[in-house]
Amino acid sequence: GIGERAMPADGAPPPEKRQKRDERIVLWNKVGSDCPFVQRDKIALIEKGIPFEEKQVELAAEKRSQEFLDMYASMSLDPKASEKKLGKVPILEHGEPGTAGYVKLIESGVILEYIEDAWGDVGPRLRPREPKAAAAMRLFSEAFAQMMPMKTIFGKSVEELQGHLRDYAQGMRMADRCLRLYGLEGGPFVLGPLFSQAECLAAPFVVRADAHLKEFRGVDPKQLALDLECHRLHRWFCAVLAHPSVVKTSEGFDP
């Protein structure tokens, strides 16, 4: 297409796009089970077959190391991050500190985009080149934002919790309609058979909804989708839960 670099005859990406075997890639995560936001980026790296080192840090305020606090403060948009002793994950490092090409990033969505920008031709593409497909993927991510499960767990009263569950059900209807209107055929995902950034972003919260709603509210979200006649969403939800990179990064997850 216009503006796209021609691929070599052997099908390999251009040399500047190929991942160097000795590249230093470090993803900072919390000690113990995955933070859902880190899991988004782990899934993307695994999908693309990019080897990376995982650096685990304590997130509890009283246990945060000075190294972690300094690293986060060096990137945080909050000018008082150091003073407040803020520290969040994920953090991605690419390259050797002190070198011209060294990159360090915060925010899971930004990191997800960087992974595709830096290694777009390594492994499968997670962000399609075709504008219509990319728009469908982004639109679904907007719709899925209405299905974040955490509010359904916490509430000050039964009425408040019931309201959150109604909102979750409405989010399901919106996501199902988005899949029916804009999703591609040929498979269960937003882009049909292709697992994309939309699934990377949503998968950690699909896993947590499946566990938390059943554990704490006695609600099976897969059955709820069927009860609401959200059949396309049900197929997507089940496929995400069963996808190998999601299963691998959910090992040891404890609701």
Side-chain angles (χ1 to χ4, degrees):
I2 297 173
E4 291 185 5
R5 190 183 302 272
M7 297 286 283
D10 63 2
E16 69 273 18
K17 285 290 187 179
R18 296 173 190 160
Q19 188 199 1
K20 298 174 183 176
R21 291 182 182 274
D22 58 350
E23 274 188 305
R24 178 177 178 270
I25 302 165
V26 182
L27 186 65
W28 294 48
N29 195 3
K30 71 173 184 177
V31 170
S33 64
D34 277 334
C35 159
F37 299 99
V38 177
Q39 189 180 2
R40 288 171 158 178
D41 301 321
K42 282 183 72 172
I43 289 169
L45 290 166
I46 290 169
E47 282 294 312
K48 297 185 77 65
I50 298 172
F52 63 96
E53 173 191 343
E54 192 167 344
K55 184 182 181 76
Q56 295 195 333
V57 293
E58 292 282 1
L59 281 191
E62 68 277 7
K63 294 183 178 180
R64 291 173 191 158
S65 68
Q66 195 59 49
E67 178 194 23
F68 178 36
L69 293 172
D70 290 345
M71 173 62 90
Y72 184 77
S74 72
M75 292 178 283
S76 174
L77 302 185
D78 186 338
K80 295 187 177 180
S82 181
E83 179 184 327
K84 295 176 182 176
K85 298 188 181 298
L86 298 181
K88 299 178 184 178
V89 291
I91 294 171
L92 180 76
E93 293 183 84
H94 179 200
E96 294 292 338
T99 63
Y102 176 63
V103 175
K104 55 182 181 178
L105 292 169
I106 55 174
E107 300 298 338
S108 63
V110 174
I111 292 171
L112 190 64
E113 293 291 346
Y114 178 82
I115 290 169
E116 196 63 22
D117 289 335
W119 301 290
D121 292 314
V122 176
R125 287 194 66 84
L126 298 176
R127 184 183 62 217
R129 288 190 176 96
E130 204 276 309
K132 183 178 179 181
M137 181 190 74
R138 293 187 179 104
L139 189 58
F140 179 80
S141 293
E142 292 288 329
F144 184 83
Q146 307 303 315
M147 281 179 59
M148 299 297 270
M150 303 316 295
K151 284 185 178 180
T152 64
I153 308 305
F154 305 105
K156 296 178 182 178
S157 66
V158 172
E159 291 77 14
E160 185 177 346
L161 286 169
Q162 288 175 337
H164 292 326
L165 280 171
R166 284 194 296 271
D167 291 343
Y168 187 81
Q170 180 60 20
M172 280 187 143
R173 293 186 183 97
M174 292 172 63
D176 182 73
R177 180 170 171 79
C178 183
L179 285 167
R180 287 186 287 107
L181 287 176
Y182 301 102
L184 303 186
E185 298 299 324
F189 301 118
V190 178
L191 301 182
L194 304 178
F195 190 92
S196 72
Q197 284 183 341
E199 283 78 31
C200 293
L201 286 167
F205 300 99
V206 170
V207 171
R208 282 154 182 79
D210 191 57
H212 287 153
L213 288 177
K214 283 189 287 194
E215 178 76 14
F216 298 112
R217 296 289 162 249
V219 175
D220 182 343
K222 298 187 292 297
Q223 185 58 50
L224 179 59
L226 291 176
D227 292 344
L228 295 170
E229 299 187 354
C230 295
H231 298 289
R232 180 66 173 85
L233 178 67
H234 176 267
R235 191 156 64 102
W236 174 86
F237 200 100
C238 292
V240 169
L241 284 174
H243 196 68
S245 62
V246 178
V247 173
K248 181 178 178 63
T249 55
S250 300
E251 290 171 356
F253 169 66
D254 183 359

